[in-house]
Amino acid sequence: ERVEGAADPRRCGRSVEARAVWDAGERTLWLVADPMGRHPLFHARVGGLTVASTDLATLLSEPGVPREPSAIAVAEWLLEVSGPPEETLLRDVERVPAGHVLRVRPDERTLVEDWAPPPRDTHPATEADRFGDVLESAVAALSDGLTGVLLSGGIDSTAVAAATARVGGPPPLALCLD
């Protein structure tokens, strides 16, 4: 997406997708990751250019994009240790972390956090107390008979499975794809 004269990519509107915005007047490329990290945004330097894509295979198909593995990132992956959120298994390919903006200028690259979840205790306790009832009501409204829950291992799928079991009917089928 090219936007002439947009000094700040947030002026282009917030969406759930990752985006790249080129400001020709400022000679600045803004790489904006979505707040929740649903859409990855990879980038690499090729000569004096920055190339970016939401798909790693597409990025690697660009001529000149380095493919050498990062010894440190591979070791972290094998040891199941988390590295920095911008790190990938490739030495010269990085990602823009969820909720961050990477500003690329000819002489500098700056990664800035643009969004973070609200701090603890910023919502009234009464709202948290209602969560179970509201979730069970939503599950009941959407299910009629046999249900299935795709388990990711996260708290969200666990909560949906528990709510499905509580609203009655046969137990939910638990699906896990690996």
Side-chain angles (χ1 to χ4, degrees), residues 132-156:
D133 294 335
V134 171
L135 179 61
E136 289 173 14
S137 175
V139 167
L142 292 173
S143 63
D144 56 355
L146 192 59
T147 58
V149 178
L150 178 61
L151 298 176
S152 66
I155 189 75
D156 53 346

Side-chain angles (χ1 to χ4, degrees), residues 84-156:
E86 62 271 13
E87 183 177 74
T88 69
L89 294 176
L90 300 174
R91 187 181 70 208
D92 297 312
V93 174
E94 293 184 336
R95 83 180 83 237
V96 179
H100 284 70
V101 175
L102 178 66
R103 185 180 67 199
V104 181
R105 292 185 169 159
D107 56 343
E108 72 171 316
R109 299 163 72 80
T110 308
L111 184 65
V112 179
E113 185 176 56
D114 184 51
W115 182 88
R120 284 186 175 272
D121 301 323
T122 56
H123 296 289
T126 54
E127 294 300 313
D129 292 341
R130 291 184 51 236
F131 176 77
D133 294 335
V134 171
L135 179 61
E136 289 173 14
S137 175
V139 167
L142 292 173
S143 63
D144 56 355
L146 192 59
T147 58
V149 178
L150 178 61
L151 298 176
S152 66
I155 189 75
D156 53 346

